[in-house]
Amino acid sequence: MSDDYGPWEPATAAELDQVFAGAPFRWWITGGMALELYAGYSWRDHDDADVGICRADVAALYRQLDGFCPYVAAKGQLNSWDGRLLADGENNVWVKDRPEGPWRFDIAIGDGDGQTWIYRRDTR
């Protein structure tokens, strides 16, 4: 992960479980960490920690992140997120524990519902 926007100190799977404990929406770990959790072992360090949710759950996500510092990452820019609904093309939220802290995790916003998730790069 590029340090262009500051350093990363990726959250662990256990930390993500704590952040999303009791969330009223479906969420999941994605990326390299998900592959390692599935395989049952780690083969490399991770530059970031990735979480996925469905776009319909964005309002609940903002409430779940109370106390964190979320930013919308879109079109090469990071902007503080005030909980507004995200527009098409705004597919990532980066999160810090505190304003001056490192990035802890990245949330990928995808289409879908309570049963199905649709990957934006391959809708099959």
Side-chain angles (χ1 to χ4, degrees):
M1 180 62 64
S2 170
D3 282 349
D4 291 349
Y5 297 103
W8 280 80
E9 186 179 303
T12 65
E15 289 171 326
L16 292 172
D17 279 344
Q18 289 178 338
V19 170
F20 292 98
F25 53 86
R26 204 167 50 117
W27 68 277
W28 54 91
I29 295 174
T30 68
M33 186 184 294
L35 294 173
E36 291 180 357
L37 289 169
Y38 178 78
Y41 66 96
S42 179
W43 53 84
R44 67 175 177 88
D45 288 335
H46 293 279
D47 295 332
D48 65 351
D50 302 301
V51 171
I53 71 159
C54 289
R55 187 171 299 279
D57 298 317
V58 164
L61 170 66
Y62 185 76
R63 290 188 298 275
Q64 189 72 26
L65 295 176
D66 186 41
F68 287 87
C69 301
Y71 293 77
V72 176
K75 299 176 185 167
Q77 297 182 352
L78 282 168
N79 294 296
S80 183
W81 184 35
D82 60 4
R84 68 176 172 75
L85 293 180
L86 301 180
D88 287 340
E90 293 181 323
N91 301 313
N92 290 86
V93 174
W94 289 13
V95 182
K96 294 181 172 192
D97 291 330
R98 58 193 190 286
E100 69 283 356
W103 298 106
R104 299 304 315 277
F105 52 97
D106 171 11
I107 303 166
I109 313 296
D111 292 320
D113 56 34
Q115 300 296 317
T116 305
W117 170 68
I118 302 169
Y119 183 53
R120 73 176 184 261
R121 293 186 179 128
D122 184 347
T123 58
R124 294 177 287 160

